[in-house]
């Protein structure tokens, strides 16, 4: 694991540690920094995170946090609900073939 410098920490508004259903604290220097949040801070306590965020953790929790951040408006504190999502736009954003004609269901790049 690479040590992070103070300069790297400053490149993001917040860092979110989303390390799994059984939360564990990874041995990353700087986790006590005020700009480091847990997924609980973000999802349950609605902590403001800013526009540039690093999510540490690529499992289900990390993915859910990233999805939440993509579909949450801090200015109005409004979560975009399923009824407000344009299905065609969602499929296009994720590169999904809505006709299921492509192998694997993914659009060509």
């Amino acid at each position: 694991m690479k040590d992070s410098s103070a300069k790297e920490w400053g490149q993001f508004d917040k860092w979110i540690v989303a390390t799994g259903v059984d939360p564990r604290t990874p041995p990353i220097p700087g986790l006590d920094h005020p700009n480091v949040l847990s997924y609980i801070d973000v999802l349950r306590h609605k902590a403001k995170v800013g526009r540039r965020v690093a999510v540490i953790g690529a499992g289900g929790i990390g993915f859910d946090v990233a999805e939440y951040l993509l579909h949450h408006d801090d200015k109005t504190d409004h979560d975009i609900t399923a009824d407000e999502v344009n299905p065609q736009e969602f499929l296009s954003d994720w590169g999904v073939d809505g006709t299921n004609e492509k192998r694997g269901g993914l659009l060509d790049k």
Side-chain angles (χ1 to χ4, degrees):
M1 180 185 304
K2 179 184 167 208
D3 287 339
S4 295
S5 69
K7 181 179 179 185
E8 288 171 314
W9 284 90
Q11 292 176 354
F12 298 96
D13 296 321
K14 298 286 184 199
W15 290 67
I16 299 165
V17 179
T19 55
V21 176
D22 291 324
R24 55 196 179 277
T25 304
I28 301 173
L31 284 180
D32 57 346
H33 191 279
N35 279 350
V36 176
L37 303 170
S38 74
Y39 69 94
I40 300 280
D41 296 326
V42 176
L43 298 178
R44 182 178 297 159
H45 303 297
K46 307 289 187 192
K48 303 291 185 204
V49 298
R51 295 190 48 79
R52 298 178 330 146
V53 176
V55 177
I56 310 301
I61 298 292
F63 179 85
D64 288 347
V65 169
E67 259 306 283
Y68 169 80
L69 293 173
L70 286 172
H71 299 288
H72 180 77
D73 182 357
D74 273 342
K75 292 181 182 135
T76 63
D77 199 30
H78 173 71
D79 294 335
I80 296 172
T81 65
D83 293 341
E84 297 172 296
V85 173
N86 177 321
Q88 288 305 106
E89 186 177 314
F90 176 87
L91 294 175
S92 176
D93 287 348
W94 285 95
V96 176
D97 174 19
T99 64
N100 292 320
E101 293 177 7
K102 300 286 184 180
R103 183 175 179 180
L106 300 177
L107 296 171
D108 296 327
K109 289 185 177 183

